[in-house]
Amino acid sequence: MLMTGIYIHIPFCKKVCYYCDFHFTVSFKQKGALIEALISEIELQKDYLNTGEIDTIYFGGGTPSVLSIVEIGGILQKINTQYTISNAAEITLEANPDDISPQYLQELRQLGVNRLSIGVQSFFDEDLKWMNRRHNSTEAEYSIKLSQDIGFSNINVDLIYGLPQLSNERWNQNLLTFIDLKVPHLSAYHLTIEPKTVFGYYKRKGRLTEIDEDMSLQHYKMLIESMKSADYEHYEISNFCKDKLYSQHNTNYWKQGHYLGIGPSAHSYNGSSRQWNTSVNSDYINAIKEGTAFSEIEQLSDKDRFNDYLLTGLRTIWGIDLEVVRNTYGLAYFKHVEKELQRFLNSSYLRIEDQKVYLTEQGMFISDKIISELMFV
Ligand code: SF4
């Protein structure tokens, strides 16, 4: 069954991580005005979703844990006045390890936040410093243990691999530390050097060389092997969990569920259109105050929706369903996939079973290539 989610973008960070390409600012001058605008936007957008019931709420950023409990509570309260938040709703807050204190965690729980996503990235100080993260390895471990002690059982940790100086031994140690901490969910991403980041600048100046493909692959294989041997389910290319504690919010994206994105740069999808807000904070605040446009909208064609289905579905253990392709997107798309799949029939990249298509582990290593070959252009 499809779910419905709300994403809240908090575009503030205390420090610039050198690899970061998300929308954020380190100036907190407009924080109060921006939160007021977010709260107004929740009401302005109340008709975007075709439902009154919300299954997942996700505070992302930026760094949502720079918000006070009163600010988070105010946003949740506003959502509550416009929608019915399902009793079983997953409410996630992304947190930086050094923002976490016993009182903050207890109060988050009282507000109904029931999932934490902790931006650890590495359990080694030298890597954290190199990325210009603001926490250290002691704070990383402490924040996880504290969250568990306070009663959060649904926790995600983010880790980054593919750093040029990250030896296999150190990456392995990061994975072992994660496993020892008994956290039920891991999101592990390969470092990518985006042009508009500090690392992008370093790369242009010849001060940073990216890891080679062999090493990348070794890191990814180590990730998969370690998680498998510790009984984590590899349910999406970069995501692993225990006890079926899938990220409900992200799974909703991958399964074509509808979602409303609130805040600068946030994206929304309601089955027929996609819309995205301006990523200039002051434009966003002013437009909301003045009642003018702050987002762009795109009506989706069947081709767009079909390609999205491939792109997101094949990343997950749920794969794509050829019956859904035929019934939802039409015969032309069904025939297209059938034809394109022929060339993979004897490959070790895809598995086809009961009209469903899945990427194999081998296929996950080259997922972008495979998915782009199956897309309708
Ligand atoms: S805390 Fe997150 S959003 Fe902020 S700069 Fe670092 S990676 Fe980017």
Side-chain angles (χ1 to χ4, degrees):
M1 199 181 79
L2 282 185
M3 296 186 294
T4 308
I6 293 186
Y7 171 82
I8 314 279
H9 191 79
I10 308 298
F12 300 103
C13 295
K14 292 183 187 162
K15 207 172 168 186
V16 178
C17 302
Y18 288 168
Y19 57 87
C20 183
D21 194 32
F22 297 132
H23 169 61
F24 71 95
T25 170
V26 288
S27 162
F28 282 55
K29 273 194 302 218
Q30 292 182 307
K31 183 163 156 257
L34 194 123
I35 288 165
E36 258 179 51
L38 292 179
I39 289 175
S40 303
E41 191 195 346
I42 293 167
E43 186 161 354
L44 288 170
Q45 302 269 33
K46 66 179 189 307
D47 297 327
Y48 183 77
L49 297 171
N50 314 311
T51 173
E53 178 138 325
I54 298 299
D55 304 293
T56 77
I57 298 174
Y58 192 102
F59 288 86
T63 314
S65 55
V66 300
L67 295 193
S68 68
I69 291 295
V70 171
E71 289 167 330
I72 297 168
I75 295 168
L76 285 173
Q77 199 182 358
K78 187 65 182 187
I79 295 175
N80 226 342
T81 63
Q82 304 301 316
Y83 300 93
T84 305
I85 302 177
S86 130
N87 286 336
E90 175 193 87
I91 306 181
T92 306
L93 184 111
E94 286 182 353
N96 213 58
D98 60 339
D99 285 329
I100 288 177
S101 69
Q103 190 184 344
Y104 192 66
L105 290 174
Q106 264 151 2
E107 290 177 353
L108 282 177
R109 267 170 65 82
Q110 280 160 14
L111 284 181
V113 174
N114 51 24
R115 184 171 185 270
L116 290 177
S117 178
I118 307 179
V120 168
Q121 316 308 349
S122 172
F123 292 105
F124 286 91
D125 285 338
E126 54 204 293
D127 295 330
L128 292 168
K129 270 196 197 132
W130 185 77
M131 292 185 277
N132 206 37
R133 294 290 309 191
R134 65 182 161 96
H135 62 278
N136 59 37
S137 56
T138 310
E139 288 167 323
E141 288 198 37
Y142 172 73
S143 67
I144 294 169
K145 288 179 181 155
L146 187 64
S147 305
Q148 291 168 326
D149 289 348
I150 297 287
F152 281 94
S153 52
N154 196 352
I155 299 175
N156 169 60
V157 157
D158 284 343
L159 290 178
I160 296 187
Y161 60 97
L163 314 183
Q165 78 283 15
L166 184 69
S167 63
N168 285 356
E169 290 68 34
R170 215 154 71 210
W171 176 225
N172 191 42
Q173 191 52 52
N174 262 332
L175 293 167
L176 291 177
T177 306
F178 167 82
I179 292 165
D180 277 353
L181 286 162
K182 303 202 177 344
V183 177
H185 194 286
L186 172 70
S187 296
Y189 297 100
H190 193 291
L191 175 74
T192 48
I193 309 288
E194 302 293 344
K196 288 186 187 155
T197 61
V198 175
F199 281 159
Y201 171 78
Y202 285 176
K203 188 177 159 189
R204 285 195 296 283
K205 294 283 168 198
R207 287 167 58 187
L208 188 157
T209 312
E210 279 174 273
I211 189 171
D212 64 41
E213 253 181 54
D214 265 7
M215 192 81 167
S216 280
L217 204 58
Q218 279 179 38
H219 280 187
Y220 190 55
K221 284 184 175 164
M222 287 167 66
L223 167 68
I224 293 178
E225 284 309 312
S226 300
M227 289 297 105
K228 202 193 271 175
S229 61
D231 291 329
Y232 282 80
E233 187 176 1
H234 186 189
Y235 75 100
E236 195 267 349
I237 287 180
S238 309
N239 286 280
F240 304 80
C241 75
K242 285 216 163 167
D243 306 326
K244 310 268 177 227
L245 280 176
Y246 310 120
S247 160
Q248 296 295 322
H249 190 78
N250 290 337
T251 299
N252 190 43
Y253 292 152
W254 300 321
K255 289 192 172 178
Q256 317 297 299
H258 300 179
Y259 53 90
L260 172 64
I262 298 288
S265 81
H267 284 56
S268 306
Y269 169 72
N270 66 2
S272 56
S273 72
R274 236 173 238 304
Q275 66 179 40
W276 55 97
N277 290 350
T278 171
S279 52
V280 179
N281 291 350
S282 51
D283 289 356
Y284 171 78
I285 294 167
N286 291 336
I288 290 204
K289 258 194 215 147
E290 290 157 14
T292 54
F294 53 89
S295 56
E296 287 181 61
I297 190 158
E298 178 193 14
Q299 295 302 327
L300 297 174
S301 63
D302 285 347
K303 186 173 96 174
D304 296 330
R305 294 188 313 116
F306 165 76
N307 283 338
D308 280 352
Y309 178 62
L310 277 186
L311 196 65
T312 51
L314 278 175
R315 295 180 63 90
T316 69
I317 46 161
W318 301 288
I320 58 160
D321 186 332
L322 295 176
E323 280 306 302
V324 170
V325 173
R326 188 205 292 264
N327 298 334
T328 309
Y329 307 102
L331 197 57
Y333 294 97
F334 176 75
K335 285 191 167 162
H336 162 81
V337 190
E338 245 194 346
K339 181 167 153 263
E340 297 301 321
L341 281 175
Q342 294 302 318
R343 72 175 107 157
F344 292 106
L345 282 186
N346 295 317
S347 81
S348 53
Y349 298 129
L350 289 178
R351 187 165 54 86
I352 305 172
E353 232 175 72
D354 296 337
Q355 291 291 295
K356 299 216 175 76
V357 184
Y358 310 90
L359 279 183
T360 61
E361 237 164 55
Q362 289 280 321
M364 284 194 186
F365 296 134
I366 53 162
S367 57
D368 288 349
K369 185 175 180 310
I370 296 177
I371 293 170
S372 67
E373 287 186 25
L374 294 177
M375 281 167 89
F376 197 94
V377 284

